[in-house]
Amino acid sequence: MTLSPAFPLPLVVAVFVVLLGFVVWQLVSRGNRSRRLSWSLRAAMVVLLLLVALRPGVSGGGGVEATTDVDVFFVVDTTTSIVAEDYDGSDPRLDGVRSDIVDLVEAYPGAKFALLSFDSSAIVRVPLTSDATAIANASEVLAPEITIYSTGSSISQANDLLASTLERAEQAEPDRSRIVYYFGDGEQTSSAPVESFEDSAQFVSGGYVFGYGTDAGGAMREQTGYYDDDKSDDGYVTDDSGSPARSVIDEQNLRAIADQLGVEYAHRTAPGGAPRADASASSIRSDSDPSGGGVIELYWIPAAALVLLVAAEAVVVLRRLREIRAAADRQGSGA
């Protein structure tokens, strides 16, 4: 059995101790049997959450395993313009992003990967992991922000998050190379000034800025957050005249980001052939391990159990809310 914590182990333990302490206190202080049962389930959730964070695994089959001492960071623009339909003809740009991420994951066997995305805010969707499947799956479910919540896109929204994420990775394992891929169209519609990615450059060993879109631009489907039977949103984003708005690529902005990061720029117009930044020769090695050629991660088992418990908790909460509402209605009618 192996453990590969998603966060520094002291932090995982500290959070676990605080959460478990609170749950146990609630469990002991509750006299009602049903309340104790609810808090017992919550205690189980905390334990399952710990197991997910610890990322347990078992050794895989024997053989020669390629190991890459490289951390690869994917930074994806998920503002509304990323679904503009001018990639490989009339496909959404996001299709190209997904395709390129899958190809790049395969290009770095044995590496660790992280996935960041940004629209009105920037988040780490997948922290550094050696589970390449997790990154591929996460990229497949990437979705743009809801249109009505959009307040304009800033191409530098992720600059602070990327810098802090890279810095933590460098502090944890300074001998590893760090490669950054930025995926976007360069369109700046926010009134906020464009900020620089230069704070990240000191931690970057190589990478690319991939640009998507055309000078002619493409229309963007509205993103409502729910889908019809055809699995697509209805309607297009419109401009002030009521006509479909068009998003165009801004390669000048994208090249500026590449210069700030110290990486190269590439315009992506069709699937396949995505250029990759080469890791240094010292970063790639083959390890012979007759007892196990890899790690089979098992965190998905407690994660699945955690999802079931959370669903059960949601049902209980909804039931109690209905009971409270019914009681309030009875009191109102009695008055």
Side-chain angles (χ1 to χ4, degrees):
M1 179 70 71
T2 64
L3 297 176
S4 303
F7 303 97
L9 186 58
L11 176 61
V12 172
V13 172
V15 172
F16 171 72
V17 169
V18 171
L19 290 177
L20 188 61
F22 175 76
V23 171
V24 170
W25 172 61
Q26 291 289 331
L27 184 60
V28 171
S29 63
R30 299 291 178 178
N32 184 287
R33 181 179 178 183
S34 64
R35 297 291 186 183
R36 284 187 174 179
L37 177 59
S38 295
W39 282 101
S40 296
L41 291 176
R42 289 164 190 157
M45 291 182 196
V46 172
V47 174
L48 290 171
L49 186 61
L50 171 67
L51 292 176
V52 172
L54 291 176
R55 289 175 54 210
V58 294
S59 298
V64 177
E65 177 191 9
T67 303
T68 308
D69 289 335
V70 171
D71 296 334
V72 182
F73 298 82
F74 298 128
V75 184
V76 182
D77 178 349
T78 53
T79 56
T80 303
S81 62
I82 202 64
V83 291
E85 297 173 349
D86 59 353
Y87 172 79
D88 194 25
S90 59
D91 291 335
R93 296 168 184 170
L94 187 55
D95 286 0
V97 174
R98 291 168 175 156
S99 175
D100 286 344
I101 288 178
V102 171
D103 289 347
L104 290 169
V105 166
E106 294 177 354
Y108 296 96
K112 290 183 180 180
F113 302 92
L115 177 62
L116 291 69
S117 69
F118 67 94
D119 37 57
S120 58
S121 60
I123 62 172
V124 177
R125 292 192 176 269
V126 182
L128 271 175
T129 176
S130 57
D131 186 356
T133 302
I135 294 292
N137 291 342
S139 69
E140 285 300 314
V141 298
L142 277 175
E145 64 181 335
I146 306 302
T147 303
I148 61 173
Y149 298 148
S150 177
T151 58
S153 59
S154 173
I155 59 174
S156 57
Q157 184 68 50
N159 66 325
D160 290 337
L161 179 62
L162 177 60
S164 60
T165 304
L166 289 168
E167 183 176 12
R168 286 195 298 272
E170 195 275 340
Q171 291 173 348
E173 296 180 283
D175 294 334
R176 294 178 67 86
S177 299
R178 283 162 296 281
I179 293 176
V180 172
Y181 287 92
Y182 177 106
F183 306 82
D185 52 39
E187 188 175 48
Q188 175 80 11
T189 61
S190 171
S191 58
V194 177
E195 299 179 354
S196 175
F197 281 83
E198 290 179 349
D199 288 346
S200 297
Q202 59 185 311
F203 307 112
V204 177
S205 305
Y208 271 91
V209 169
F210 284 173
Y212 300 83
T214 62
D215 292 332
M220 301 161 282
R221 285 192 179 274
E222 288 187 335
Q223 305 300 308
T224 62
Y226 59 89
Y227 301 93
D228 60 22
D229 293 337
D230 295 327
K231 302 299 181 185
S232 62
D233 285 285
D234 290 328
Y236 285 88
V237 178
T238 57
D239 57 25
D240 294 338
S241 68
S243 302
R246 301 185 73 82
S247 167
V248 298
I249 190 173
D250 190 326
E251 292 192 278
Q252 181 176 349
N253 280 342
L254 294 170
R255 292 182 186 278
I257 294 174
D259 289 341
Q260 293 158 10
L261 289 171
V263 301
E264 298 182 67
Y265 169 74
H267 186 201
R268 301 292 298 145
T269 59
R276 54 159 289 181
D278 292 329
S280 63
S282 61
S283 298
I284 304 175
R285 65 179 187 272
S286 295
D287 293 335
S288 178
D289 184 358
S291 63
V295 174
I296 301 174
E297 300 209 40
L298 303 176
Y299 69 88
W300 62 270
I301 298 176
L306 179 60
V307 169
L308 293 176
L309 289 183
V310 170
E313 176 77 2
V315 171
V316 171
V317 170
L318 289 174
R319 184 179 302 167
R320 287 176 180 168
L321 288 174
R322 284 197 296 268
E323 292 173 354
I324 293 172
R325 185 177 301 166
D329 291 342
R330 287 194 298 270
Q331 287 181 348
S333 60

